Amino acid sequence: MITSVIGGKLINTNLESGMIYVIQTTSASFSRVFDDELLVVEAWGKNAVRVRSFVDQKRNKRSNALLPRLEQENVTVIQNGDEVELINGSLRAVLDHRDRLTFYNAAGEVILKEYIRLRAVKHDDGSEDAGTIEVTKDFNSTLKLKAREYRANLTGSFKVTTRFESEPAEKIFGMGQYQHSFLNLKNTVLELAQRNSQASIPFYISSMGYGFLWNNPGIGEVTFAKNLTKWVMQETDYIDYWVTVGDTPKEILHNYSDVTGKVPLMPDNLLGLWQSKLRYRTFTEVMEVVENYTKRGIQLSTIAIDYFHWPKQGEYRFDEEYWPKPTENIKVLREKYGVEPLISIWPTVQSDAKNYQDYLENGFLVKVNRGVRLTMQIQGNTVFVDMTDPKAREYVWDLIEKNYVAKGIKYFWLDVAEPGYAVYDFDNYRYHKGSDLSCGNLYPLDYLKMVFDGLKDKEQVVTLVRGSWAGAQRYGALLWSGDIDSSFRAFKNQVNTGLNVGLAGLPWWTTDIGGFHGGHPDDPKFRELLIRWFEYATFSPILRMHGDRLPHSKPLSDHGGGSMVTGSGNEIWSYGAEVEHILLKYLKIREALKPYLKKLMLQAHEYGDPVMRTLFYEFPTDKKAWEVDNTYLLGDSLLIAPIMEYQANKRQVYLPADETWIDLWTKKSYLGGQEITVEANLEQIPLFVRAGHKEVVEQLFDVIKGENENGS
């Protein structure tokens, strides 16, 4: 190896291969130029580095999920012959002479390494290991696989593959919302795309002590295989990822939240019951529901005014035929009943909307590469607004501000926010920021940003959204699990899914209690499902009733919003006296939980901690805790084990070690580190508190004690 300095740059020449590359360093970064690639590695946050690779050396300044980098101290960059390394706190990133990055923790252990399978390059530096060092450290390979691979495609862009070595025993958690039953994502393949009920949030926490953010919003796929971890982008021109290390999962997630943002502070008045159904058609129906809850002594947090309260999609206003005097009615809801209305809006425009031509002439609509531009069809020919276009967002927000905010609306429900294309042909759509394939996951992020930027009280922004991506939490994203099935199978998928959403950096998450699609209030099996789901949701960030219940009612008219059907009742009294009795009991429990939930919401706001936590998040040294799924902690004090099977009345529950746990129903104490069988009739969910934390849920003890004494 020959090293020389030319024009202030370090020039390295490998004698055997003739490979020439340029390395530059700063106080907090290093970069390397070789052939068509510019590689940049820089300190970015606590114990973390950001890695970017630009094909054809075309550097861009996209931040994507990350906040701007702050100046950092105590970063060391060392050039050692044909290697260069960056040390930022506990993380060390090393680029070796084979163009491979390896990441080490403070103990010098490899936590992540790029994967290459190329012919070994022999050293010729006079050392005793000359000609053999690569053979002994790795092995010769004729597979010709690179860690960072660009393959030109017909779009003028590239299909990009990024490879890492895989540790078969590694466990992987996070990555957002996928409709499967797995908590540990090792040996899964995940689509990096938004769909109804799927929200790709490409950050994960590894059992090997690191966190990883894939910071490219393009459409693609990740494979967490035993032999290889592989990230594939269909159409892009850069690689961007971020790595951090920590002694615990909590430390890792805090590092991530520091660089991607934290949620606002959840308002106290939103910690109760959110009431919704498909759909309330008039203010009269809304008021009747609110009054019935008031008569039962229940203070609702919100009630949802769902889709087609508008005359046409894209007009963003109340249909005055069915929703007259909105300002007056919203004032009554808030001042008389203390209930916040939640307004559903869609990012869609009907071709017969009165302002459709404005969208068209200004280029505010999503473009298509082929065929007729109809990206969804509900109540007419419909096209999506391009929410990646700042001018389109400004136009839409002006309508929202005039027709909703000015009338008293504070909270919005961004439905169909993926966007929910009729056909997910990602290669067919184009945005202001680029093709859907190259940046499609930014769509819900920009949609959320429109609301966040528009509302004046940033500390109180809470936006229910169907779609998300990394960094969405800083815009007040309350993700829900989308239009899922009303079944025990779907319910079972949600428990682990919600935990992975929290580990992907979104502390707020909720579901439609009972699922969305179907469910008949008179069906005994569905009633049982609703009870079990409500019990579980009581111990979640947001308690929310919603669903499309059967049978449907007849439309109010044959035009506009009046032509849309509405489902059967979905209030707590809609399912009979026995169900109502049980749900009322859990509403009392939820009320008793509010002081504790307030503390958890503050932790989420200040540090990024999820409200619902895996066992290993609080007990990282308990090896068994890393194996347990479908069981979780609400904060650090309460352990919940939902019943997810039809007609089940018991289940196995693992209690983390080095603690004593108290069953809140029986008051019996158990030593941790063991699995026990817990009886749970239809009115009970297995529920435990850490013995040393009893004071944080003192009110909960009192409520459950009272219910038991009343014979519940």
Side-chain angles (χ1 to χ4, degrees), residues 324-364:
K325 301 179 180 179
T327 303
E328 179 180 316
N329 284 293
I330 290 165
K331 185 176 181 181
V332 170
L333 277 172
R334 182 173 292 123
E335 294 184 1
K336 182 178 179 180
Y337 297 104
V339 177
E340 289 290 348
L342 177 72
I343 297 295
S344 171
I345 55 176
W346 288 12
T348 50
V349 185
Q350 287 175 234
S351 59
D352 57 346
K354 68 176 185 178
N355 56 340
Y356 176 77
Q357 202 65 22
D358 291 343
Y359 288 99
L360 193 63
E361 290 179 1
N362 286 284
F364 292 162

Side-chain angles (χ1 to χ4, degrees), residues 392-509:
R393 294 198 301 269
E394 181 181 352
Y395 175 83
V396 170
W397 183 254
D398 284 345
L399 294 173
I400 292 171
E401 189 169 43
K402 178 178 67 175
N403 296 321
Y404 294 126
V405 177
K407 291 176 170 56
I409 298 300
K410 295 181 180 180
Y411 300 107
F412 293 93
W413 171 5
L414 305 189
D415 206 347
V416 201
E418 302 86 1
Y421 290 119
V423 180
Y424 291 106
D425 285 341
F426 299 115
D427 65 326
N428 193 32
Y429 308 119
R430 298 197 318 277
Y431 302 140
H432 173 80
K433 285 187 175 178
S435 70
D436 194 356
L437 286 177
S438 68
C439 66
N441 284 298
L442 289 178
Y443 190 100
L445 208 65
D446 284 337
Y447 195 10
L448 284 159
K449 187 176 185 298
M450 176 190 75
V451 175
F452 183 83
D453 289 346
L455 292 172
K456 292 180 174 58
D457 188 357
K458 301 292 187 286
E459 286 298 305
Q460 297 288 300
V461 177
V462 180
T463 303
L464 186 65
V465 64
R466 201 184 82 184
S468 195
W469 197 64
Q473 70 277 359
R474 64 179 180 255
Y475 300 127
L478 168 58
L479 178 66
W480 99 93
S481 53
D483 296 347
I484 56 177
D485 187 44
S486 293
S487 66
F488 277 94
R489 179 177 179 179
F491 176 34
K492 189 171 184 179
N493 287 345
Q494 304 318 303
V495 180
N496 285 338
T497 293
L499 295 175
N500 273 327
V501 168
L503 291 173
L506 262 68
W508 301 344
W509 180 82

Side-chain angles (χ1 to χ4, degrees), residues 169-432:
E170 179 183 26
K171 296 177 178 62
I172 289 172
F173 307 93
M175 290 299 297
Q177 177 174 283
Y178 291 89
Q179 294 304 323
H180 59 215
S181 61
F182 305 112
L183 180 62
N184 177 12
L185 301 174
K186 190 66 171 181
N187 304 322
T188 64
V189 178
L190 304 176
E191 182 185 44
L192 304 174
Q194 308 291 322
R195 295 174 183 258
N196 185 346
S197 78
Q198 174 179 296
S200 173
I201 308 171
F203 172 73
Y204 71 83
I205 290 174
S206 166
S207 60
M208 294 179 65
Y210 72 93
F212 183 97
L213 168 68
W214 180 256
N215 193 36
N216 187 315
I219 306 299
E221 185 176 88
V222 59
T223 302
F224 295 117
K226 285 184 177 181
N227 62 322
L228 175 70
T229 296
K230 182 170 66 173
W231 300 80
V232 177
M233 293 279 99
Q234 296 298 324
E235 186 178 307
T236 190
D237 59 2
Y238 69 102
I239 294 166
D240 190 343
Y241 64 87
W242 177 88
V243 183
T244 188
V245 296
D247 292 334
T248 65
K250 185 176 292 188
E251 182 181 338
I252 291 167
L253 194 57
H254 288 183
N255 292 348
Y256 172 78
S257 298
D258 285 343
V259 299
T260 59
K262 301 178 180 69
V263 291
L265 186 60
M266 176 70 71
D268 294 347
N269 64 321
L270 298 187
L271 295 177
L273 177 63
W274 292 36
Q275 178 58 46
S276 182
K277 64 167 264 186
L278 186 91
R279 59 188 186 93
Y280 300 120
R281 299 170 293 182
T282 64
F283 270 120
T284 300
E285 292 183 356
V286 168
M287 294 299 183
E288 287 176 353
V289 170
V290 173
E291 287 172 358
N292 271 302
Y293 274 109
T294 302
K295 290 175 183 176
R296 288 167 168 80
I298 298 167
Q299 174 61 63
L300 289 179
S301 285
T302 73
I303 190 164
I305 298 174
D306 204 347
Y307 72 168
F308 284 94
H309 67 267
W310 52 70
K312 300 289 182 182
Q313 295 166 72
E315 295 181 359
Y316 295 99
R317 62 188 179 95
F318 286 102
D319 186 337
E320 295 180 358
E321 181 177 355
Y322 304 102
W323 301 89
K325 301 179 180 179
T327 303
E328 179 180 316
N329 284 293
I330 290 165
K331 185 176 181 181
V332 170
L333 277 172
R334 182 173 292 123
E335 294 184 1
K336 182 178 179 180
Y337 297 104
V339 177
E340 289 290 348
L342 177 72
I343 297 295
S344 171
I345 55 176
W346 288 12
T348 50
V349 185
Q350 287 175 234
S351 59
D352 57 346
K354 68 176 185 178
N355 56 340
Y356 176 77
Q357 202 65 22
D358 291 343
Y359 288 99
L360 193 63
E361 290 179 1
N362 286 284
F364 292 162
L365 301 175
V366 170
K367 317 300 187 296
V368 296
N369 294 324
R370 59 185 181 273
V372 179
R373 182 160 59 183
L374 295 176
T375 48
M376 191 173 72
Q377 284 189 286
I378 294 183
Q379 291 295 96
N381 297 327
T382 310
V383 184
F384 280 93
V385 182
D386 183 356
M387 288 296 174
T388 75
D389 184 343
K391 291 183 178 179
R393 294 198 301 269
E394 181 181 352
Y395 175 83
V396 170
W397 183 254
D398 284 345
L399 294 173
I400 292 171
E401 189 169 43
K402 178 178 67 175
N403 296 321
Y404 294 126
V405 177
K407 291 176 170 56
I409 298 300
K410 295 181 180 180
Y411 300 107
F412 293 93
W413 171 5
L414 305 189
D415 206 347
V416 201
E418 302 86 1
Y421 290 119
V423 180
Y424 291 106
D425 285 341
F426 299 115
D427 65 326
N428 193 32
Y429 308 119
R430 298 197 318 277
Y431 302 140
H432 173 80

Side-chain angles (χ1 to χ4, degrees), residues 620-638:
T621 60
D622 183 345
K623 293 182 180 180
K624 176 66 176 176
W626 289 83
E627 304 287 343
V628 175
D629 64 358
N630 289 317
T631 304
Y632 66 97
L633 296 162
L634 188 69
D636 61 354
S637 301
L638 290 173

Side-chain angles (χ1 to χ4, degrees), residues 6 42 53 74 87 102 117 165 168 183 196 207 227 234 287 301 399 401 499 520 545 591 596 610 644 691:
I6 301 175
E42 54 194 319
S53 167
N74 302 319
I87 303 170
T102 304
R117 293 295 185 269
E165 299 284 353
L183 180 62
N196 185 346
S207 60
N227 62 322
Q234 296 298 324
M287 294 299 183
S301 285
L399 294 173
E401 189 169 43
L499 295 175
H520 197 297
M545 289 283 278
E591 189 67 26
Y596 180 56
M644 300 168 294

